[in-house]
Amino acid sequence: MKTNKTQWIIDRSHSEIAFRVRHLMIAFVKGSFKIFDANIFTTDKDFATATINLWIDVASITTGDDKRDEHLKSSDFFDVANHKQIKFTSTSIKQLENKNNYELRGMLYIRDFPQEVLLNVQYRGIVKDPMGNEKAGFTVTGSINKIAWGLSWNRPMPSGGLMLSEEVLISCEVELTNAGQKDLEMEKESVVNKTAL
């Protein structure tokens, strides 16, 4: 039986997956991932029905410092040689009293280890661009504890405390393009076992 859904494609040129980590307890180091993609489906245009499967190329991480980026790719952190992707699979999405706000729950896989996360989603609306493409915009925020995924590398400071905070703040701007109606059963193979971007 066919299951028709509306497919949404990430417009990477107008989207960002970014994070911040407190450094020396007095400032933040910011970074982002440049290569990512997702399979996103909704019933009609109702984002409360969304299913999301996102994958990120960890090697595309950038913090504005090449030496730091290489350290983040090493076994001290993401271990890119053995774990090439970060993945997120949604498990539920709840529309809040403010109809433009949602709570998004899902499993976040870092170093292939899954942990449940809760993200806040603010819906920015749907518009048509000058070329006639239908676009939807979102801001996604949240925080995670990196220790939960075994990212425990740190250094003590002479004054006490640690060089890096355990908390990582997530901040994403997402612009989606309506790709039309799809038979979800036909798309399933591209959602499962996705190994390359």
Side-chain angles (χ1 to χ4, degrees), residues 93-110:
I93 183 165
K94 177 183 177 183
Q95 191 171 30
L96 302 181
E97 187 174 342
N98 180 334
K99 299 300 184 181
N100 289 331
N101 291 336
Y102 298 82
E103 285 185 349
L104 174 62
R105 293 185 182 273
M107 301 304 295
L108 180 64
Y109 296 76
I110 300 176

Side-chain angles (χ1 to χ4, degrees), residues 69-116:
D69 293 347
E70 288 305 312
H71 190 198
L72 289 170
K73 295 174 191 178
S74 75
S75 59
D76 283 341
F77 289 96
F78 291 111
D79 192 12
V80 171
N82 296 302
H83 308 284
K84 299 185 183 302
Q85 293 184 343
I86 293 172
K87 299 179 183 179
F88 173 81
T89 300
S90 63
T91 54
S92 69
I93 183 165
K94 177 183 177 183
Q95 191 171 30
L96 302 181
E97 187 174 342
N98 180 334
K99 299 300 184 181
N100 289 331
N101 291 336
Y102 298 82
E103 285 185 349
L104 174 62
R105 293 185 182 273
M107 301 304 295
L108 180 64
Y109 296 76
I110 300 176
R111 294 169 63 122
D112 295 327
F113 183 75
Q115 285 279 356
E116 185 179 51

Side-chain angles (χ1 to χ4, degrees), residues 24-36:
L24 301 179
M25 303 302 124
I26 58 172
F28 281 97
V29 171
K30 300 177 182 180
S32 64
F33 297 95
K34 298 303 182 184
I35 301 176
F36 48 88

